[in-house]
Amino acid sequence: MKIIIAGAGEVGFHLAKLLSYESQDITLIDTNKESLSYADSHLDIRVLKGDATSISVLRDAKVEQSNLVIGVTSSETTNITLCMLAKQLGCERTIARISNTEFVDNRDVLKFEELGIDELISPEELAATEIQLLLNKSAFNDTYEFEDGMLIMVGVSLPKSAPFVGKMVKEAANIFPELHFMPIALQRLGTQYTVIPRGDTVFKEGDQVYFITVKEGVDELYKLTGKKKEEIKNVMILGGSKVGYKAARDLCAKKFNVKLIEKDKEKAFDLSDDLPNALVINGDGRNVELLEEESLESMDAFIAVTGNSETNIMSCLVAKSKHIKKTIALVENMDYFQLSHSIGIDTLINKKLLAANNIFRYIRKGEVVALMRINNLNAEILEFVVKPDSKVTGSVIRELDFPKMATIGGVVRDGEGIIALGGFRIQAGDRVVVCCLPEAIAKIERLFL
């Protein structure tokens, strides 16, 4: 696939890195020579210095032969203009990163597709949505919803008290036959290896396990993992960044009690005007005394989304020491994900990863309607729409030539989520959720083409 990425910043570089690992034909465009030099020396891609909205630069990048153009510069005007030009010049598909979420909210009215923009993504909006999801499933440290919650992925660290610790997957299935969830991936405590569970895989204490479940299965998972479904009502947000503002706005709309701490005085006043239902405090959130004065210990959740990853992590650790039920930190450094569970923070979120998840589904073959990469796990979860002529159509799952490094977690059929076991027959129109390791992706794509 020939892909042009405009913007060699954090999101653009991260995307280029992930795609270059898959031997995609990548051209990275930026006006910053330093950023391009770094990308050129670290990645197997082509770099091009210039303005991404210049027609001559786009022609130099062979835009007319490209399958996908992704605009992820810091300027949403540049990204939108680039996508419009690229489509006119012959590119198949375009994606623009935006920061003004009004565009996303009014996309049906504005009809961006007619302008040549196939998809709009806002990493800040994605991060704010992720925060809301995590607060709704407070005992879990990772979560994702397919088809508006018809199927739900949750990640949880298994305590010693979980009744299936020490048992194989097939034994657990026999003991709890009425349950509505399926394990799709796990990572052993202290390792970085991702395991796709089979029938003889043994659950161990400390395993970070990812389950696909239907709505009624969420409560079952709370009981079986010994986790408590905590009531989250009072939320403290550190940092009035775009993510902090959007998270506060969304949580206030859901009737959460929100306190937002912002260091910059002028920004704090602006936020106070824009968020009438939140209590905005001007102060330095790194000051433990300030946090205590603002009743940190009475909060149910603490969310740190300043522009500094280390500040976010340290303030979450302070919150955790006050026995806050849920802590969420926004981080830029992907390496921190490996530390999150060991240092005690419930969840780390990363805008680059969320944006990449959103974009990657356009790169996968077959009709992929959702895709996510699990934090700190070398696995992808894809949602395919089954076509009438797909190889899986009409097949029983256990009879499929399905790679061992992949598993089907569930199916959405006629608006209903189903945990699909070996005897389930796949039909055209089904939406099938698959978890797989990178080595199995090509084979899975062929099955759903």
Side-chain angles (χ1 to χ4, degrees), residues 157-167 176 204-206 222-228:
S157 180
L158 291 186
K160 193 176 182 178
S161 58
F164 43 77
V165 165
K167 293 182 173 62
F176 310 107
K204 296 181 181 178
E205 180 189 353
Y222 276 121
K223 289 176 195 164
L224 282 171
T225 55
K227 302 286 182 182
K228 279 170 99 182

Side-chain angles (χ1 to χ4, degrees), residues 82 90 99 110 186 190 360 414:
L82 159 71
S99 53
L110 297 171
L186 66 82
F360 252 71
D414 300 329

Side-chain angles (χ1 to χ4, degrees), residues 23-233:
S23 304
Q24 306 282 5
D25 180 1
I26 311 295
T27 301
L28 183 63
I29 304 174
D30 202 287
T31 53
N32 188 314
K33 190 176 180 180
E34 214 170 285
S35 299
L36 287 178
S37 297
Y38 184 81
D40 194 27
S41 60
H42 286 76
L43 305 175
D44 182 20
I45 61 172
R46 181 190 176 204
V47 299
L48 198 57
K49 184 178 181 298
D51 180 355
T53 59
S54 160
I55 292 172
S56 60
V57 169
L58 288 173
R59 283 190 168 139
D60 192 9
K62 298 187 169 48
V63 67
E64 70 282 355
Q65 298 170 18
S66 63
N67 305 103
L68 181 64
V69 166
I70 307 168
V72 285
T73 72
S74 56
S75 163
E76 72 181 12
T77 307
T78 299
N79 299 335
I80 289 170
T81 306
L82 159 71
C83 290
M84 292 166 67
L85 290 171
K87 206 57 177 273
Q88 293 285 321
L89 292 167
C91 170
E92 286 179 21
R93 195 169 193 91
T94 61
I95 301 173
R97 172 190 179 176
I98 50 116
S99 53
N100 183 351
T101 52
E102 283 186 324
F103 291 152
V104 176
D105 298 338
N106 295 285
R107 65 193 312 161
D108 294 336
V109 179
L110 297 171
K111 294 186 170 45
F112 280 95
E113 290 85 354
E114 292 179 10
L115 299 173
I117 305 162
D118 296 303
E119 187 67 34
L120 296 170
I121 61 159
S122 165
E124 293 79 17
E125 184 76 16
L126 292 169
T129 303
E130 179 83 352
I131 287 166
Q132 200 173 318
L133 262 177
L134 289 163
L135 294 185
N136 289 339
K137 311 279 187 304
S138 59
F140 303 119
N141 48 37
D142 215 334
T143 183
Y144 187 84
E145 291 189 353
F146 297 90
E147 301 302 315
D148 296 323
M150 297 293 174
L151 288 174
I152 303 162
M153 185 216 75
V154 294
V156 64
S157 180
L158 291 186
K160 193 176 182 178
S161 58
F164 43 77
V165 165
K167 293 182 173 62
M168 291 189 288
V169 171
K170 59 187 176 188
E171 289 175 330
N174 289 332
I175 297 166
F176 310 107
E178 74 288 353
L179 297 184
H180 303 89
F181 56 81
M182 163 96 71
I184 56 165
L186 66 82
Q187 185 180 57
R188 299 289 186 205
L189 182 66
T191 74
Q192 291 180 29
Y193 298 109
T194 304
V195 178
I196 300 296
R198 316 308 306 177
D200 58 356
T201 303
V202 177
F203 291 112
K204 296 181 181 178
E205 180 189 353
D207 282 351
Q208 174 67 19
V209 186
Y210 293 84
F211 295 93
I212 290 286
T213 178
V214 290
K215 284 178 181 174
E216 55 266 37
V218 174
D219 287 334
E220 293 169 358
L221 274 171
Y222 276 121
K223 289 176 195 164
L224 282 171
T225 55
K227 302 286 182 182
K228 279 170 99 182
K229 188 174 183 179
E230 304 280 9
E231 178 73 27
I232 302 279
K233 198 68 189 166

Side-chain angles (χ1 to χ4, degrees), residues 17-24 184-187 192-196 360 363-365 371-374 376-382 384 403-407 434-446:
K17 182 169 76 171
L18 291 176
L19 293 168
S20 68
Y21 289 162
E22 302 196 356
S23 304
Q24 306 282 5
I184 56 165
L186 66 82
Q187 185 180 57
Q192 291 180 29
Y193 298 109
T194 304
V195 178
I196 300 296
F360 252 71
I363 290 143
R364 294 281 168 249
K365 293 168 187 163
L371 180 150
M372 75 161 301
R373 288 175 167 237
I374 306 173
N376 198 29
L377 244 68
N378 189 28
E380 283 187 16
I381 302 178
L382 302 103
F384 290 95
K404 286 197 170 181
M405 290 174 287
T407 186
V434 178
C435 180
C436 59
L437 301 186
E439 308 92 282
I441 287 171
K443 188 166 185 179
I444 294 297
E445 287 175 335
R446 287 195 292 272

